[in-house]
Amino acid sequence: MSTRLHRGKMLPTLFLTALSLLSWSGKTFSQTTQNTTAIQGTSAENLAAESPTLDKATLDNVIQYALKHQPLIQQSVIDQRVVENTIKSKLADWYPQINFNYNLQHNFAVQTSIIGGNPVKLGVDNTSAAQFSLTQSIFNRDLLLANRSQNDVRQQASQTITNNKIAVAANVAKAFYAVLSTKQQISVAEGDIIRLKKSLKDAKSNYDAGTADKIDYKRVTITLNNTMATKASNEELLKARLQALKSLMGYPVDKPLEIAYEPTQMENEIALDTAQKVEVQNRIEYQQLQTLKRLREADLNYSKWAYLPSVSLNGSYNLNFLNNSFGDLYTRNYPNSFANLTLALPIFQGGKRKINTNTAEWQIKRLNLDIVNLKNTVNNEYQQALATYKSNLGVFLSQKENMELAKEVYDLVQMQYRSGIKTYLEVITAETDLRSARINYYNTLYLVLSSKIDVQKALGQLNY
C-alpha cells in the first residue's frame, strides 16, 4: 500500500525514521566491526610476513612455525576473513539504502494526445530530473536469519581453523619423528664405521704380522662396506624426509633446517595415562557438527518464516526541470516527493514453504545420524590408537633392554677377542646385534611418540 504525504511534513518524518533505524542497526554492526578488525589485525601479519628460518628446530618450534606458515592454515585464516566480510555485507542491509539518479532527455517529437477532439502536445522538448531515494528495510526474514546466525557462522570458520591446525600439528610431529629416526640411524652407522675402521686396521695389522688369517680382514671389510652403503642410503632418505617435513611446515625449500632434539627428554615424554576415557565432546569434529546443527536449525526457522510479511520504508525527493529551450532548462524546478510504507504478505506459494520446511527437517535428522556415526568412529579410533600405543610401548621397553644387553655383550666379546679367547666372527655378530638393537631402540621410541599423538588426537587433547 502507498500513502502520498505532503512534502513539507513528509521529509522530516522520513529521514528521522531512517536515522533512528540507522542508530539501531549500528549497534548490531559495532560488534561485527570489532570482530573483523581483530581478525584482520592478527592474520594480516602472518599472511604478509616472509617465511623466516629456524635456528633451532625443536619439535615445539617446528609445530609453531607450521601453524603460522603452512598454506592450509593461511587459507583457513583468509576464509575466516571472507566469512567475516560476508556477515558484515549481509547485515549491511539493515542500514538505509540511499541512492541518487540523474537523467537528461531531449524529445525530438513531443507526444501528442487528443483531448476534446483537439490534438494537444503533452510535454516539452527538454526534460531533466534528479532523484534522491531512500529505502529502509524494517523487517524481512533474510535480515532476521543473518542477524541470528552470525555468531554460529563466525564460530564455524574459527572451528575450521582449529581442525586444520590439529591436523597440521599431528602430521608435522610425525614427520619430525621420521626425520629423527633416519638421523639416528645415520648417527649409529657413523659410530659403527669408526669402530669398524679401527677393527679393520687391527685385523690388517694382525694379518700382516701373521697372527691371523685374511678371513677376519675380509669379514671386517664386508661389514664396513655394508655399513657405509646403509649410511649412504639413509642419507638420501633423510633428504626426502626433510623435504616432506618442510612441505608440511610451509618452510622455504632452499633453506637449511637443522633438527634439534634430546633423546633422553623425548624418552621421558612417552608416558601417557591409558586409563582415560574418550569424551566425544572434546573432539573438534563433534563441535563442528554441533555448530552445523545450529545452522541447520536456523535454516529450518528460515523456511518456517516464509509466511511472515516483509516491511520496508521508501521515500524519494525529485527535482524536475522542464523547458522547450535547452538554455533555460535549469531556470525553473518542479519538484515532487513522496514516501510509502510497503508490506508484502505471502498468501499462497504453491506449497513451497511446506516443502522447504520438510527438507530442512530431513537435513537435521541426517545430521543427527552424522553425530551418532562420529561417536562410534571416535570410540573405535581411540581403541585402535590406544592398542597401537601399548604395543609400541611394549616393544620399545624390550628394545631398550636389548640395547643395554647388546652393549654389554659387545664390550665383553671385544675384550675376549683381544685376549684371544673369541674369534672375530663372534665380534662381528656382537657388533651386528648392537647396531640392530640401537636402531630398533630409536625406531620404536619414535613409533611410541607417534602413536601417542594419535591417542591424544583421538581424545581431543591436541588443541592449538
Side-chain angles (χ1 to χ4, degrees):
M1 61 179 176
S2 299
T3 304
R4 181 73 65 178
L5 300 178
H6 187 271
R7 178 169 52 110
K9 297 180 179 180
M10 178 278 300
L11 286 176
T13 304
L14 172 63
F15 285 101
L16 284 175
T17 303
L19 288 175
S20 65
L21 291 170
L22 176 62
S23 174
W24 173 79
S25 59
K27 296 179 182 179
T28 303
F29 269 101
S30 61
Q31 184 62 39
T32 303
T33 304
Q34 292 174 3
N35 292 333
T36 303
T37 303
I39 290 176
Q40 291 176 346
T42 55
S43 61
E45 295 179 359
N46 295 341
L47 298 178
E50 294 183 359
S51 297
T53 57
L54 289 176
D55 296 329
K56 187 178 181 181
T58 62
L59 177 59
D60 289 339
N61 290 343
V62 165
I63 291 177
Q64 292 303 321
Y65 185 99
L67 296 181
K68 291 181 180 179
H69 300 93
Q70 221 284 337
L72 178 62
I73 303 300
Q74 292 186 336
Q75 288 175 338
S76 300
V77 173
I78 291 175
D79 291 340
Q80 186 183 39
R81 293 176 63 179
V82 171
V83 167
E84 204 54 56
N85 287 333
T86 301
I87 293 173
K88 186 175 180 180
S89 175
K90 294 290 185 182
L91 294 178
D93 290 336
W94 283 114
Y95 278 120
Q97 309 298 307
I98 302 174
N99 297 289
F100 172 76
N101 295 307
Y102 168 82
N103 76 340
L104 174 63
Q105 178 176 324
H106 172 72
N107 298 313
F108 294 98
V110 178
Q111 181 181 352
T112 301
S113 181
I114 304 298
I115 300 177
N118 299 314
V120 178
K121 288 187 176 182
L122 301 178
V124 295
D125 294 339
N126 302 291
T127 64
S128 181
Q131 180 187 63
F132 295 90
S133 63
L134 179 146
T135 302
Q136 173 63 58
S137 293
I138 298 176
F139 177 83
N140 68 58
R141 63 178 184 145
D142 292 323
L143 297 180
L144 187 60
L145 176 66
N147 186 52
R148 291 192 176 184
S149 62
Q150 59 174 309
N151 291 333
D152 288 327
V153 173
R154 191 177 291 114
Q155 186 176 27
Q156 187 180 49
S158 177
Q159 289 172 342
T160 299
I161 294 179
T162 300
N163 188 34
N164 290 338
K165 283 184 175 181
I166 291 173
V168 167
N171 292 333
V172 166
K174 291 181 179 181
F176 183 87
Y177 292 140
V179 170
L180 286 186
S181 176
T182 308
K183 284 179 67 68
Q184 200 59 51
Q185 291 185 44
I186 294 173
S187 178
V188 170
E190 289 173 345
D192 291 341
I193 289 172
I194 293 174
R195 288 193 300 272
L196 287 170
K197 285 183 176 179
K198 184 177 183 303
S199 297
L200 179 62
K201 182 179 179 181
D202 294 341
K204 184 69 166 57
S205 298
N206 292 336
Y207 174 70
D208 292 340
T211 58
D213 57 27
K214 61 181 180 180
I215 294 178
D216 291 346
Y217 170 70
K218 290 186 176 180
R219 281 174 174 168
V220 178
T221 302
I222 293 172
T223 304
L224 177 59
N225 290 339
N226 289 337
T227 304
M228 293 179 67
T230 301
K231 176 176 175 289
S233 176
N234 285 330
E235 286 174 341
E236 293 301 319
L237 179 60
L238 177 62
K239 293 178 182 179
R241 289 184 169 176
L242 272 174
Q243 290 303 321
L245 177 59
K246 288 180 180 180
S247 177
L248 290 172
M249 293 172 58
Y251 196 84
V253 177
D254 57 341
K255 300 296 183 180
L257 181 63
E258 296 298 329
I259 301 297
Y261 64 99
E262 178 56 49
T264 303
Q265 180 181 356
M266 296 181 69
E267 184 175 333
N268 295 332
E269 293 176 353
I270 66 176
L272 178 68
D273 182 8
T274 58
Q276 298 179 84
K277 300 297 182 181
V278 60
E279 297 290 342
V280 69
Q281 293 83 358
N282 296 332
R283 289 288 294 265
I284 185 61
E285 295 91 341
Y286 178 82
Q287 297 167 17
Q288 286 179 303
L289 287 177
Q290 290 298 319
T291 301
L292 183 58
K293 183 178 180 180
R294 291 194 296 271
L295 291 173
R296 289 282 184 267
E297 291 171 347
D299 289 338
L300 174 60
N301 290 331
Y302 177 78
S303 298
K304 292 180 178 180
W305 294 338
Y307 67 89
L308 295 177
S310 296
V311 183
S312 63
L313 177 66
N314 301 279
S316 176
Y317 182 78
N318 305 304
L319 303 174
N320 300 302
F321 302 94
L322 310 170
N323 205 303
N324 287 319
S325 173
F326 185 79
D328 298 328
L329 178 59
Y330 294 102
T331 58
R332 189 171 182 182
N333 175 30
Y334 301 91
N336 74 297
S337 60
F338 71 90
N340 67 63
L341 183 67
T342 303
L343 183 147
L345 179 63
I347 297 176
F348 179 71
Q349 300 174 325
K352 181 184 294 185
R353 183 177 73 89
K354 183 177 180 180
I355 294 172
N356 291 341
T357 300
N358 187 259
T359 301
E361 289 174 346
W362 280 113
Q363 288 177 337
I364 293 176
K365 291 179 181 179
R366 188 185 188 283
L367 189 59
N368 288 333
L369 293 176
D370 286 338
I371 295 175
V372 173
N373 184 60
L374 177 65
K375 291 179 180 179
N376 296 333
T377 302
V378 166
N379 185 68
N380 179 64
E381 180 181 334
Y382 172 67
Q383 294 300 329
Q384 293 290 336
L386 186 61
T388 302
Y389 170 79
K390 289 181 177 180
S391 175
N392 290 336
L393 180 61
V395 175
F396 166 75
L397 294 176
S398 298
Q399 293 301 326
K400 181 180 179 181
E401 183 180 1
N402 289 345
M403 183 180 68
E404 295 170 353
L405 293 175
K407 181 66 170 60
E408 293 178 5
V409 170
Y410 173 77
D411 291 340
L412 181 61
V413 170
Q414 182 75 10
M415 182 179 63
Q416 291 176 337
Y417 168 74
R418 291 174 180 174
S419 302
I421 300 175
K422 296 290 185 180
T423 64
Y424 195 74
L425 177 61
E426 292 177 285
V427 175
I428 292 178
T429 302
E431 175 90 28
T432 302
D433 292 341
L434 177 59
R435 180 170 61 254
S436 298
R438 285 178 172 174
I439 292 175
N440 290 337
Y441 165 78
Y442 288 112
N443 283 344
T444 53
L445 171 61
Y446 302 133
L447 284 175
V448 172
L449 291 172
S450 295
S451 56
K452 179 184 176 181
I453 291 174
D454 291 332
V455 174
Q456 290 176 320
K457 184 178 179 182
L459 289 170
Q461 295 178 348
L462 292 181
N463 298 316
Y464 294 94

